[in-house]
Amino acid sequence: MVRDYGFWFVVCTVLVFGMAVRESSIEDILSRIRHASKRVTVAKRTVAQVLAEATGHLSADAITVAVQEREPDVSPSTIYRILEEFEELGIIVHAHLGQGAAVFHLAGTVHGHLTCEICKQTFEIPSTHFDDLSHDLLESYGFELDRHHVALSGTCAQCRAPGSTPHG
Amino acid sequence: MVRDYGFWFVVCTVLVFGMAVRESSIEDILSRIRHASKRVTVAKRTVAQVLAEATGHLSADAITVAVQEREPDVSPSTIYRILEEFEELGIIVHAHLGQGAAVFHLAGTVHGHLTCEICKQTFEIPSTHFDDLSHDLLESYGFELDRHHVALSGTCAQCRAPGSTPHG
DNA sequence: CTGGATGCAAATCCTTTGCACGAGG
DNA sequence: CCTCGTGCAAAGGATTTGCATCCAG
C-alpha cells in the first residue's frame, strides 16, 4: 500500500481530500441548519466540528466531553437536543451497538458495525457486505434494511484466536 | 398452507408438538437449574413458564408483568437476576432491538429480528437468512456472527406501502 | 425585539446493587 | 442449618423534559 508514488498519493489524499471534506462538511452542516430555518449557535458549530473530525463513531457522552474541551459551558442536554436535530436534518445517523449508549456519526459515512461481545470493540465494515442480505430481506418480507443502522454482535478474530490476548 | 389435510397437520403439530415441547421445556429448564447446583424456586418456575408460553420475545418488564399475574410478590430485581442466571445457563438469549429495552426468549428458538423504525414492530425471521453473511464476515474479518443475537433495523412492508396504514 | 436555543436540575426509563430476611436442599 | 435466593429500596447510566434565561436573526 504505502510505497513509492503510492505513499504520496495517500499523503495528498489525506491532506487535500480529507481536510477539504472536513472543512466543507462543517460548512455543509451549518448551511443545512440555516436552510431548515434553525439557528446556528456556538454549540451546534462545535458539535459539527467534533463530528467532522471524528475518525469513528462517538457516544453522546464522548461528544459532550469533546465539545466541552472547547466550549466548557455546553451542557449534555444541549448535546442531545443538537444530535436529535442533526439526525432529523439527515446530517448524522445513530446506531445501537451490542450494549451501552448509542453512537453517532456523519450520515455520509455509510457502513455497518460489528461489535465483539467479548472485548466490546467495534469494527466498521463497508455496507456492501449487506447487499445480498438487503435484497433477500426485501424479496422475502418486503423489509427495507437500513444499512446505515446495522449493528451485529459476535466474536472478533482476536477473541476467537485461542492463544492470543483476549482483550486486544 | 391451511387446506385439507395440511390444516389438520398444522393443528396436530401445534397441539401435540407445541404443548409437549412447552411442558418439556419447563422441566428441561428446571433440571438445568438443578444440574448447575442452583435452587429451583417459585419465581424461577414462573419465569420458566412465562418464557415457554410466550410466542415471541418479551422485555424484562413484560416478563415481570406476566410473572406477577401469577405470583404478585416476585419483584422486578428478582426477574433480572433470574434472567441473568438463565442466560448464563444457556436457557435463554437476549437481543437489543432498535430502541428501548432488551428482549428475551428461549435459546432453542434461533432466529434473527427485523425491527421497523417507523411502527416499532419486530419480526422474527429464520437465521438461515444470515448464512451467507455469516460466512462472508468470517472469511473477510475472522468475525464470528452471533446469529442468536442479530437485530436489524429498517422499514417493514406495511410502512413502506404508500396507501396503507403506517402503523399496522 | 422575539422566539428558538440553552443551562440547570429534576424526571424518566431500564437495569443493577446492598442489605437483611426468608426459604430451599 | 447454612447458604442461596429474594424483596425492598436505593443507586446507576443514558436520555428526556420543564422552565427561566439568553442570544441569533
Side-chain angles (χ1 to χ4, degrees), chain A residues 10 33-34 40 42 45 47 50 55-57 59 75 84-85 91 97 110 113 124 130 141 152 157 166:
Chain A
V10 170
I33 295 170
R34 292 191 192 95
V40 174
V42 174
R45 204 184 303 266
V47 171
V50 167
T55 59
H57 26 54
S59 67
S75 74
E84 188 182 353
E85 179 182 309
I91 296 168
L97 308 181
V110 180
H113 301 100
E124 297 184 2
F130 304 113
Y141 309 105
L152 299 173

Side-chain angles (χ1 to χ4, degrees), chain B residues 26 45-55 58 62-63 66-67 70:
Chain B
I26 293 174
R45 205 185 303 268
T46 312
V47 171
Q49 286 171 9
V50 167
L51 288 169
E53 290 167 9
T55 59
L58 299 172
I63 294 170
V67 167
R70 307 178 194 189

Side-chain angles (χ1 to χ4, degrees), chain B residues 24-78:
Chain B
S24 72
S25 58
I26 293 174
E27 277 314 306
D28 188 48
I29 291 170
L30 300 183
S31 72
R32 283 212 230 186
I33 295 170
R34 292 190 192 95
H35 202 262
S37 308
K38 304 275 185 178
R39 290 178 184 170
V40 173
T41 64
V42 174
K44 291 183 191 180
R45 205 185 303 268
T46 312
V47 171
Q49 286 171 9
V50 167
L51 288 169
E53 290 167 9
T55 59
H57 26 53
L58 299 172
S59 67
D61 187 61
I63 294 170
T64 302
V65 169
V67 167
Q68 288 182 342
E69 282 177 7
R70 307 178 194 189
E71 299 291 335
D73 291 338
V74 176
S75 74
S77 57
T78 298

Side-chain angles (χ1 to χ4, degrees), chain B residues 5-27:
Chain B
Y5 55 84
F7 171 74
W8 295 106
F9 172 75
V10 170
V11 168
C12 293
T13 302
V14 169
L15 287 178
V16 176
F17 187 74
M19 298 300 284
V21 162
R22 281 169 188 173
E23 288 303 315
S24 72
S25 58
I26 293 174
E27 277 314 306

